Amino acid sequence: MVVAATVAAAVCAALPIPLLPRVVDSFDPVDGRLPRRATPAPAVLGTVTAVLIAAVAASTYPHPGRLPAYLYLTVVGVVLAAVDLRVHRLPDVIVLPSYAVLAALLAVPALAEGAPGRWPRALLAGAVAWLLYAGLRLLPGAGLGRGDVKLAGLLGVATGWLGWSAVVVWLVATTMISGAVVLVLLALRRVSRRDPIAYGPFLLVGALIAVLGVGWEPAG
């Protein structure tokens, strides 16, 4: 039953894949400039999404009750990362409703797994992450946008449900990966210190690492 439920959830999550390129392409830069990158090819976007869906499904086994929330976040995360890389936007029309969707989807497994405390902890972690990145955004040269702050709050909810250790893994992984990538780009002269860099993908990759690392752990 658990295997069947996991496979069924993964298949359902994969259904929107053909629509993703059109969704990514529907967002224009807010500053009126041309997109910084082309929309990923459908085959590339589809393959990446399918691989991530399979990885998240495997990482949450044998807890299929968690799958709807984390598979939803996986598909949404792929879209947000592609949009941010393309036009440096994390659209409110996707991020803000996802708060309610994710909170609702995480309430069910919290009760089903006999760990109701996970849900309020998730909301608290989301608030902490929002405040943390809102504070970082005020620092000179931080380069963070309002969209990054809103996305951080959403990912705080997702990782907070799994536990404070997942939140720490997410924050550390995000910081280390973003720092390493920026240093490499600077060394290769692909960007300058004044060039804007999309931070959303780093937040999302860090959260993915946290989910893959601790998503399998039992409720507690």
Side-chain angles (χ1 to χ4, degrees):
M1 280 294 292
V2 174
V3 174
T6 301
V7 172
V11 170
C12 290
L15 292 178
I17 285 179
L19 303 176
L20 298 189
R22 185 177 301 177
V23 174
V24 173
D25 197 43
S26 67
F27 294 99
D28 297 320
V30 294
D31 54 11
R33 298 181 181 179
L34 294 174
R36 292 172 170 84
R37 290 178 176 82
T39 301
V44 173
L45 200 59
T47 300
V48 170
T49 307
V51 169
L52 293 180
I53 286 173
V56 170
S59 71
T60 56
Y61 186 86
H63 307 291
R66 306 176 186 181
L67 275 176
Y70 291 102
L71 290 180
Y72 168 81
L73 187 61
T74 299
V75 177
V76 166
V78 170
V79 172
L80 289 173
V83 171
D84 201 16
L85 288 170
R86 180 174 178 268
V87 297
H88 282 202
R89 286 182 63 186
L90 293 166
D92 285 349
V93 70
I94 296 178
V95 176
L96 296 183
S98 292
Y99 274 87
V101 173
L102 194 64
L105 291 176
L106 288 174
V108 176
L111 297 175
E113 295 182 28
R118 282 180 175 248
W119 196 75
R121 182 181 63 203
L123 301 184
L124 176 59
V128 170
W130 193 96
L131 291 172
L132 172 63
Y133 277 91
L136 291 174
R137 181 173 178 267
L138 299 177
L139 297 177
L144 296 174
R146 289 190 295 271
D148 297 314
V149 176
K150 298 169 189 175
L151 177 59
L154 179 67
L155 298 178
V157 173
T159 55
W161 194 92
L162 294 171
W164 290 111
S165 61
V167 177
V168 172
V169 170
W170 163 51
L171 294 174
V172 172
T174 298
T175 302
M176 293 182 64
I177 293 172
S178 61
V181 171
V182 170
L183 286 176
V184 170
L185 291 176
L186 287 171
L188 296 176
R189 300 184 184 276
R190 299 291 299 272
V191 299
S192 70
R193 294 183 181 275
R194 295 184 179 182
D195 288 333
I197 296 176
Y199 197 71
F202 297 123
L203 289 167
L204 290 160
V205 170
L208 175 65
I209 291 172
V211 172
L212 295 180
V214 303
W216 56 270
E217 293 181 352

